[in-house]
């Protein structure tokens, strides 16, 4: 009984236990299946700015990429966990920690700003050692970035390329000053951008004139933007080129509305927006902001749209994006899509090789990847490729058009490859429908004309003269050479330039400071270009050259030895030497056959000297028997003709033109003798004389007017005056009879007009002045105003004819010397052969060569040449005979009155040929 009861209890217990075991096994089985499924799911965290359009586009793009992967993969699922950071770095770091701890994410993507990316990578990525993929990049890549953030991968390039593109746009349109506007993010995020832009602008000769920092919209409880309007009214801001950095869409919208209200979005203005703002716009958008931004230039990263993959993605994007009917995805959405696709590919490779970490696979895939956002090449977590940028132009409130491409290596081009270059952004439609490039400057108007300073007191009134008696507004009270140039330039400008003159009675340096401090918009006058002034103002092309010239009193040059001045002393020495040499050659050639050259040695020397020297003035009476002598004399007579003609002409010029001889020979003489010198006290010359030339201050006399210089000279108050070259020309043209000026040794930059730094009007003036210089109008104007021809006598000059030097007659002397030497050597050779024949005929009569001394032989040869006589041989001529025949001709010239048939009469023009017997 008890046994059966126990058995029944056992069976009943088994009945109760069996269901429990089944439930237990089912629970275990379900847990194993769940564990297996959870091992095929990868959680990825995405930190975005859910309040911005960029963040919404990124969220849609990442969802499309994850959905595409999940639909294709049967063994693995990718789950995205989104968190909104509102671009706050601390919220982003907190969200990353929450995603890692609670959602067990294996990678984090997103971060619209670099501050968020750095915070997440620093506090989360390095500790959890999971990959952090950032859509943002720093303005300037920090050093040792990979060592500091080894798990950080950034998909965007830094801001250097974009800033260089903006600088190239500024340079292409010749803008010199820009205003930078950006929204304060509280973290100084745009400091790096400002540094890059400032450096890029400096490379192209421009600079940032002002920085305008806007408050965040989120930080204002009731933004009425009155402060913004006051900031834009800054009177010192002359530039009308505005560059807008990263700002929110509401901030940009209010900025353009206020700027349009103030007239800053119109003619002569230019606006440039960066990619962070351009990406907020859409070619199909019809909002008010697009209408106020008409004519604005923007920058976008170029990506290819003509692929099947992009068309498929765009179709999916337009279907899922909640904000617009048919939006076009931007570069930020494409990068988000590519990031999820790369993560999905890495996950797919991990299933077949679990030993490889996700970080290593991502680095491998990112090293060379081509996605919708373009070709990407990474190394050590940094992007290495140079982006291709596209310039856009907002046309109206409905659309914007794409202009030229830009690359760091090529610049502007018509194609993305950079093969066809271009000089600017392309066919831009400017604000206000301006048909030309805007000046980018606060241009003067009739209500606010350009204020131009004019020197009221000048030493030389021909340059600028202000007549204070004319108190009305008529500009005729301002006259002079500089005013005439200004009027000619104004006529050449292709736009209206309202202006008004204002006389300034201070120093020239003070006038430059007035323009630098923006009291005057420009200054017109005889202003010298100097290095220290160039740092303060903008100079135009100089209209006259400048240099330091010294003017001293002079007297007419008088000299007892004036007849010697037509030739230099070298010329006189060489002429005398060639005369003596010709005399010697004539004597040597005529001595054997011409009885006129016979007799004692002193008679021979006198005859040869008289014969050669008399040929300088008149025909000689001595007959010539040798043809070699005739050849020498012909060449010598040609030399005499040239020398006498040149001497006569130069001496006549010296006697006709009055030469002025300065009383002071140089600067060193003035300093050595402590002489007084004069200069314009209102110019920089006075300081220049002290610091550069070394004159003592007590020896420098200030001269206020050009008329006072002559008074100072006549009263002997000053010994010399130092004037700039333009003033020296005016002075010498009027007082040339008693003064002489030196050629400027110390050069300056020239005379020019000045404008405020960065003013585009200076470039237009430079172009007009160059045209006036090239076509000769400025030279004609200079002659009419400064150096009229009726002031200076023509026969007074300090630069008379110079003495003739040896360089002008070297060839003539060489011909004469070569001819005489040739005839001399030929005659010497003939007589040398005759001496040998004589030695051979005498035979034993002469001592043997071994017994005769060198001196005796030399004396014997000299006696032979001295006592030689010409004998005409009767045998057949050889080469030597031909030489003798040439040396002793059959014909000679003699006067008819000298023959036996005629009595001697003085008729030197009658000549007959007499055959020699």
């Amino acid at each position: 009984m008890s046994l059966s009861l126990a058995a029944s209890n056992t069976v009943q217990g088994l009945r109760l236990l069996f269901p429990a075991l089944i439930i237990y096994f089912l629970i275990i089985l379900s847990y194993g299946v769940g564990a297996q499924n959870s091992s095929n799911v990868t959680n990825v965290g995405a930190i975005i700015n859910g309040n911005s359009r960029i963040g919404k586009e990124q969220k849609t793009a990442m969802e499309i990429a994850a959905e595409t992967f999940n639909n294709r993969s049967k063994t693995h699922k990718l789950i995205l966990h989104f968190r909104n950071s509102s671009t706050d770095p601390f919220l982003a770091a907190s969200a990353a920690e929450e995603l890692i701890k609670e959602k067990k994410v294996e990678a984090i993507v997103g971060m619209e700003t670099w501050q968020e990316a750095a915070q997440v990578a620093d506090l989360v990525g390095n500790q959890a050692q999971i990959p952090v993929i950032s859509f943002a990049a720093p303005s300037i890549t920090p050093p040792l970035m990979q060592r500091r953030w080894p798990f950080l991968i950034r998909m965007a390039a830094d801001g250097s390329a974009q800033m260089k593109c903006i600088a190239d746009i500024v340079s292409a349109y010749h803008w010199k000053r820009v205003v930078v506007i950006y929204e304060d993010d509280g973290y100084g995020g745009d400091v790096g951008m400002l540094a890059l832009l400032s450096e890029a602008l400096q490379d192209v000769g421009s600079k940032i004139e002002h920085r305008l920092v806007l408050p965040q919209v989120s930080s204002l409880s009731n933004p009425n933007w009155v402060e913004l309007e006051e900031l834009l009214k800054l009177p010192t801001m002359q530039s009308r080129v505005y560059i807008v950095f990263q700002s929110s869409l509401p901030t940009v919208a209010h900025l353009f509305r206020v700027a349009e209200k103030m007239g800053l979005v119109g003619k002569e203005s230019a606006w440039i927006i960066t990619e962070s703002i351009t990406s907020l716009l859409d070619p199909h958008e019809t909002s008010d902001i697009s209408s106020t931004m008409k004519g604005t230039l923007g920058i976008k990263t170029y990506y290819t749209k003509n692929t099947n993959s992009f068309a498929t993605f765009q179709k999916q994007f337009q279907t899922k994006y909640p904000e617009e009917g048919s939006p076009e995805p931007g570069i930020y959405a494409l990068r988000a899509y590519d990031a999820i696709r790369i993560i999905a590919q890495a996950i797919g490779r991990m299933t077949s090789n679990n030993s490889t970490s996700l970080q290593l696979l991502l680095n491998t895939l990112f090293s060379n990847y081509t996605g919708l956002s373009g070709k990407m090449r990474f190394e050590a977590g940094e992007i290495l490729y140079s982006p291709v940028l596209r310039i856009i132009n907002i046309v109206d409130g409905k659309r914007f058009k794409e202009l030229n491409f830009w690359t760091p290596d090529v610049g502007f081009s018509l194609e993305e490859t950079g093969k066809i270059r271009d000089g600017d952004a392309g066919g831009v439609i400017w604000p206000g429908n301006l048909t030309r490039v805007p000046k980018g400057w606060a241009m003067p108007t009739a209500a606010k004309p350009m204020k131009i300073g004019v020197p009221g007191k000048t030493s030389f009134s021909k340059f600028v003269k202000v007549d204070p008696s004319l108190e009305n507004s008529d500009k005729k009270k301002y006259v002079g050479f500089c005013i005439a140039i200004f009027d000619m330039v104004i006529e050449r400008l292709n736009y209206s330039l309202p202006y008004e003159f204002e006389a300034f009675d201070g120093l020239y340096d003070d006038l430059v400071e007035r323009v630098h401090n923006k009291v005057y918009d420009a200054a017109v006058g005889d202003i010298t270009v100097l290095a220290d002034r160039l740092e303060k103002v903008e100079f135009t092309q100089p209209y006259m050259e400048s240099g330091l010239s010294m003017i001293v009193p002079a007297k007419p040059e008088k000299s007892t030895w004036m007849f010697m001045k037509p030739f230099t002393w070298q010329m006189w020495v060489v002429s005398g030497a060639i005369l003596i040499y010709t005399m010697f050659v004539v004597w040597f050639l005529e001595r054997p056959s011409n009885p006129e050259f016979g007799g004692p040695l002193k008679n021979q020397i006198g005859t040869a000297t008289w014969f050669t020297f008399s040929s300088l003035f008149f025909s000689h009476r001595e007959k010539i028997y040798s043809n070699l002598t005739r050849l020498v004399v012909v060449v010598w007579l040609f030399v005499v003709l040239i020398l006498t003609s040149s001497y006569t002409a130069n001496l006549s010029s010296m006697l006709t033109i009055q030469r002025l001889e300065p009383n002071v020979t140089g600067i060193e003489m003035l300093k050595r003798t402590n002489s007084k010198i004069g200069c314009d006290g209102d110019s920089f010359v006075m300081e220049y004389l002290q610091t550069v030339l070394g004159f003592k201050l007590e020896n420098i006399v200030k001269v206020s007017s050009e008329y006072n210089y002559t008074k100072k000279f006549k009263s002997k108050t000053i010994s010399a005056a130092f004037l700039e070259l333009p003033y020296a020309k005016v002075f010498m043209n009027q007082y040339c009879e008693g003064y002489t000026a030196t050629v400027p040794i110390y050069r300056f930059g020239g005379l020019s007009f000045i404008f405020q730094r960065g003013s585009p009007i200076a470039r237009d003036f430079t172009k007009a002045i160059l045209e006036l210089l090239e076509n000769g109008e400025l030279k004609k104007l200079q002659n009419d105003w400064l150096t009229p021809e009726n002031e200076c006598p023509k026969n007074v000059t300090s630069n008379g004819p110079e003495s003739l030097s040896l360089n002008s007659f070297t060839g003539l002397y060489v011909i004469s010397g070569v001819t005489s030497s040739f005839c001399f050597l030929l005659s010497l050779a003939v007589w040398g052969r005759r001496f040998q024949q004589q030695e051979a005929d005498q035979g034993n009569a002469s001592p043997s060569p071994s017994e005769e001394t060198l001196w005796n032989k030399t004396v014997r040869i000299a006696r032979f040449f001295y006592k030689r006589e010409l004998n005409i041989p009767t045998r057949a001529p050889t080469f030597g005979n031909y030489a003798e025949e040439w040396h002793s001709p059959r014909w000679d010239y003699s006067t008819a009155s000298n023959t036996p048939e005629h009595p001697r009469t003085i008729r030197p023009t009658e000549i007959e040929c007499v055959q020699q017997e």
Side-chain angles (χ1 to χ4, degrees):
M1 183 75 183
S2 60
L3 182 61
S4 62
L5 182 61
S8 63
N9 290 335
T10 302
V11 171
Q12 187 176 3
L14 291 173
R15 288 178 179 177
L16 295 175
L17 182 62
F18 183 74
L21 291 174
I22 293 176
I23 294 174
Y24 176 76
F25 282 115
L26 288 175
I27 292 175
I28 294 298
L29 181 63
S30 63
Y31 179 79
V33 173
Q36 183 179 2
N37 289 339
S38 64
S39 64
N40 292 332
V41 173
T42 300
N43 297 303
V44 176
I47 301 175
I48 60 173
N49 181 13
N51 303 324
S52 69
R53 173 173 176 166
I54 293 177
K56 295 175 182 178
E57 287 187 3
Q58 290 173 342
K59 183 175 183 295
T60 302
M62 287 188 284
E63 289 176 345
I64 294 173
E67 183 179 345
T68 302
F69 173 75
N70 292 334
N71 291 337
R72 294 179 180 178
S73 177
K74 298 180 180 180
T75 61
H76 211 97
K77 299 299 178 183
L78 182 64
I79 299 177
L80 299 177
H81 302 276
F82 291 97
R83 295 293 182 271
N84 183 11
S85 66
S86 299
T87 65
D88 189 330
F90 298 103
L91 288 179
S94 176
E97 286 183 326
E98 184 263 334
L99 288 171
I100 293 174
K101 292 179 180 179
E102 297 183 6
K103 300 301 180 181
K104 309 298 181 181
V105 296
E106 300 181 29
I108 297 178
V109 298
M111 287 73 72
E112 187 176 321
T113 65
W114 175 249
Q115 289 79 11
E116 296 176 84
Q119 193 77 4
V120 171
D122 208 3
L123 299 180
V124 179
N126 291 349
Q127 298 176 6
Q129 296 186 354
I130 64 173
V132 176
I133 302 176
S134 170
F135 299 152
S139 301
I140 303 174
T141 302
L144 304 176
M145 177 177 173
Q146 181 63 18
R147 183 178 301 178
R148 181 177 180 182
W149 299 301
F151 295 94
L152 177 62
I153 300 174
R154 58 183 179 91
M155 295 187 65
D158 58 25
S160 60
Q162 192 172 181
M163 295 302 103
K164 289 180 180 178
C165 178
I166 293 176
D168 281 355
I169 294 175
V170 172
S171 175
Y173 298 112
H174 308 290
W175 298 323
K176 297 299 182 182
R177 293 291 185 275
V178 301
V179 177
V180 176
I181 305 175
Y182 60 93
E183 185 178 18
D184 181 24
D185 60 357
Y187 304 99
D190 289 308
V191 174
M193 284 289 190
L194 282 172
L196 289 174
L197 180 61
S198 178
E199 182 180 353
L201 290 174
Q202 187 176 0
D203 292 340
V204 298
S206 302
K207 66 180 298 185
I208 298 175
E209 182 184 26
H210 187 75
R211 292 181 297 172
L212 184 60
V213 184
L214 305 179
Q216 278 186 319
V217 178
S218 59
S219 64
L220 302 177
S221 58
N222 185 20
N224 54 13
W225 301 101
V226 176
E227 295 181 2
L228 174 59
E229 187 170 349
E230 294 298 324
L231 289 173
L232 291 175
K233 286 181 180 179
L234 288 175
T236 58
M237 277 199 322
Q238 295 293 324
S239 174
R240 291 296 181 266
V241 180
Y242 302 96
I243 301 174
V244 185
F245 280 176
Q246 183 170 342
S247 302
S248 61
L249 192 59
T251 302
V252 174
H254 283 87
L255 170 65
F256 274 89
R257 290 192 187 101
V258 173
E260 185 182 34
K261 177 183 176 182
M262 299 178 60
L264 301 179
V265 184
K267 292 184 177 180
E268 309 302 344
S269 298
W271 290 77
I272 304 174
I273 56 178
T274 56
E275 186 174 27
S276 60
I277 302 174
T278 307
S279 299
L280 302 175
L281 307 176
D282 192 273
H284 306 285
E285 189 177 8
T286 59
S287 61
D288 293 336
I289 179 175
S290 297
S291 61
T292 58
M293 294 175 66
K294 181 180 179 181
T296 301
L297 293 176
I299 299 174
K300 294 182 67 175
T301 301
Y302 172 76
Y303 51 87
T304 305
K305 302 179 182 179
N306 55 357
T307 60
N308 295 331
S309 57
F310 179 83
T312 303
F313 171 73
Q314 185 179 20
K315 185 177 180 181
Q316 294 174 333
F317 184 84
Q318 292 174 350
T319 303
K320 292 182 175 294
Y321 190 65
E323 300 294 330
E324 299 289 343
S326 57
E328 181 177 304
I331 187 64
Y332 294 96
L334 299 181
R335 286 172 182 162
Y337 179 82
D338 288 340
I340 300 302
R341 284 193 61 189
I342 293 176
I343 292 175
Q345 291 184 21
I347 292 172
R349 295 186 181 185
M350 284 184 64
T351 57
S352 59
N353 187 7
N354 293 325
S355 62
T356 306
S357 65
L358 179 61
Q359 178 71 38
L360 184 59
L361 289 173
L362 289 176
N363 290 336
T364 303
L365 291 172
F366 271 111
S367 62
N368 192 6
Y369 181 81
T370 302
L372 295 183
S373 60
K375 185 177 180 181
M376 291 177 285
R377 183 171 176 267
F378 295 82
E379 184 176 322
E382 299 182 20
I383 190 168
L384 297 181
Y385 75 95
S386 297
V388 178
L389 303 180
R390 189 75 183 266
I391 313 299
I392 68 164
N393 184 208
I394 300 177
V395 178
D396 50 37
K398 296 182 179 180
R399 62 189 177 89
F400 62 76
K401 66 175 182 177
E402 295 179 337
L403 304 179
N404 286 344
F405 299 88
W406 184 91
T407 58
D409 299 330
V410 177
F412 297 107
S413 60
L414 302 178
E415 297 180 353
E416 66 271 17
T417 57
K419 293 182 179 180
I420 305 177
R421 297 190 178 187
D422 201 3
D424 52 32
V428 181
I429 297 178
W430 299 106
N433 294 322
L434 193 65
T435 57
R436 56 173 174 82
V437 178
K439 298 297 181 182
W441 195 258
M443 297 297 289
T445 60
K448 189 179 179 182
M450 185 168 63
K451 192 175 182 181
I452 302 176
V454 179
K457 296 180 180 179
T458 58
S459 299
F460 289 81
S461 59
K462 288 186 177 182
F463 287 88
V464 179
K465 182 180 180 181
V466 180
D467 191 351
S469 62
L470 301 176
E471 295 297 336
N472 55 15
S473 59
D474 188 5
K475 297 183 180 63
K476 290 183 179 179
K477 71 184 229 180
Y478 299 94
V479 295
F481 174 62
C482 300
I483 305 300
I485 296 177
F486 178 82
D487 293 337
M488 295 180 70
V489 171
I490 289 294
E491 294 176 358
R492 288 182 168 269
L493 298 180
N494 57 358
Y495 54 88
S496 175
L497 189 67
Y499 66 93
E500 60 181 15
F501 288 141
E502 181 176 313
F504 178 75
D505 294 333
L507 301 177
Y508 280 79
D509 287 337
D510 296 336
L511 178 60
V512 173
E513 287 293 335
R514 290 291 184 95
V515 178
H516 174 63
N517 296 329
K518 300 183 180 181
V519 178
Y520 294 132
D521 297 309
V524 172
D526 48 343
I527 306 171
T528 307
V529 180
L530 299 176
D532 57 341
R533 295 176 179 177
L534 196 62
E535 299 295 327
K536 301 177 181 179
V537 294
E538 195 88 24
F539 282 93
T540 65
Q541 166 68 30
Y543 54 83
M544 283 192 74
E545 63 177 343
S546 179
L548 191 61
S549 181
M550 182 179 69
I551 297 178
V552 296
K555 58 184 178 181
E557 182 180 7
K558 298 179 181 179
S559 176
T560 307
W561 300 92
M562 177 65 74
F563 70 93
M564 296 291 291
K565 289 196 173 182
F567 290 161
T568 61
W569 68 269
Q570 296 94 336
M571 185 74 176
W572 285 114
V573 171
V574 175
S575 299
I578 199 71
L579 186 145
I580 295 173
Y581 181 66
T582 304
M583 176 191 69
F584 168 74
V585 173
V586 169
W587 170 81
F588 185 83
L589 296 177
E590 290 296 314
R591 167 70 180 83
S593 57
N594 195 337
E596 299 288 347
F597 289 84
L601 180 60
K602 61 179 182 179
N603 291 343
Q604 298 179 28
I605 295 175
T607 302
T609 303
W610 169 256
F611 175 84
T612 308
F613 191 79
S614 63
S615 60
L616 295 173
F617 310 103
F618 49 83
S619 298
H620 51 82
R621 65 178 182 84
E622 291 79 7
K623 293 186 296 181
I624 297 176
Y625 288 84
S626 173
N627 285 331
L628 291 177
T629 308
R630 293 190 182 99
L631 179 60
V632 172
V633 171
V634 166
V635 175
W636 169 248
L637 291 177
F638 179 72
V639 173
V640 168
L641 174 65
I642 300 298
L643 291 179
T644 53
S645 301
S646 302
Y647 177 87
T648 303
N650 201 26
L651 182 61
S652 300
S653 300
M654 290 182 174
L655 296 176
T656 303
I657 300 176
Q658 182 182 359
R659 293 170 57 91
L660 298 178
E661 183 179 3
N663 294 336
V664 178
T665 57
I667 295 177
E668 295 301 326
M669 175 184 175
L670 292 172
K671 293 192 294 184
R672 186 173 61 254
T673 57
N674 286 326
S675 301
K676 299 289 184 178
I677 59 174
C679 70
D680 185 1
D682 295 334
S683 70
F684 70 97
V685 176
M686 183 174 180
E687 182 180 358
Y688 187 86
L689 291 173
Q690 299 178 60
T691 58
V692 179
L693 299 185
F695 283 98
K696 297 179 181 179
L697 179 61
E698 57 269 18
N699 292 332
I700 302 176
V701 179
K702 295 182 180 180
V703 183
S704 58
S705 172
E706 60 180 305
Y707 307 106
N708 292 335
Y709 282 102
T710 56
K711 296 179 181 179
K712 298 290 185 182
F713 277 124
K714 291 179 180 179
S715 63
K716 299 186 182 300
T717 304
I718 59 176
S719 300
F722 285 89
L723 299 175
E724 290 187 69
L725 181 60
Y727 309 138
K729 289 182 178 180
V730 174
F731 184 88
M732 290 302 302
N733 194 71
Q734 190 169 1
Y735 305 102
C736 56
E737 293 185 357
Y739 303 93
T740 180
T742 61
V743 178
I745 301 177
Y746 303 94
R747 294 285 181 177
F748 308 127
L751 301 186
S752 177
F753 302 150
I754 59 174
F755 291 83
Q756 293 180 10
R757 291 285 292 173
S759 173
I761 306 176
R763 183 177 181 275
D764 297 335
F765 265 63
T766 292
K767 181 180 178 182
I769 291 174
L770 285 173
E771 291 175 352
L772 294 174
L773 287 170
E774 292 170 0
N775 60 25
E777 293 185 33
L778 202 55
K779 180 63 177 177
K780 181 180 179 182
L781 191 68
Q782 177 180 337
N783 294 335
D784 294 340
W785 275 94
L786 304 181
T787 56
E789 296 181 355
N790 58 352
E791 288 186 352
C792 184
K794 297 297 182 180
N795 61 340
V796 179
T797 178
S798 60
N799 296 319
E802 300 292 336
S803 300
L804 297 176
S805 64
L806 185 61
N807 295 332
S808 304
F809 301 92
T810 302
L812 190 65
Y813 287 149
V814 168
I815 294 175
S816 177
V818 169
T819 304
S820 299
S821 299
F822 172 76
C823 295
F824 171 73
L825 294 176
L826 183 61
S827 177
L828 189 64
V830 172
W831 285 105
R833 181 180 177 184
R834 182 163 297 183
F835 174 75
Q836 293 177 353
Q837 292 177 356
Q838 179 178 329
E839 289 292 310
D841 293 339
Q842 292 180 358
N844 298 329
S846 60
S848 61
S850 59
E851 298 177 354
E852 187 179 17
T853 62
L854 179 62
W855 170 256
N856 293 335
K857 186 174 182 179
T858 302
V859 172
R860 189 158 50 86
I861 294 174
R863 287 177 179 175
F864 170 79
F865 278 97
Y866 178 72
K867 296 181 178 181
R868 69 192 189 281
E869 293 181 357
L870 183 62
N871 294 319
I872 301 176
T874 58
R875 63 180 183 271
T878 60
F879 174 78
N881 300 134
Y882 281 118
E884 293 179 5
E885 186 73 14
W886 171 257
H887 183 272
S888 180
R890 298 180 180 179
W891 303 92
D892 191 13
Y893 294 98
S894 62
T895 58
S897 60
N898 210 20
T899 60
E901 291 82 6
H902 299 80
R904 182 178 180 85
T905 59
I906 303 177
R907 297 178 62 187
T909 57
E910 297 182 11
I911 300 174
E912 67 175 2
C913 295
V914 180
Q915 187 173 1
Q916 297 294 316
E917 305 233 350

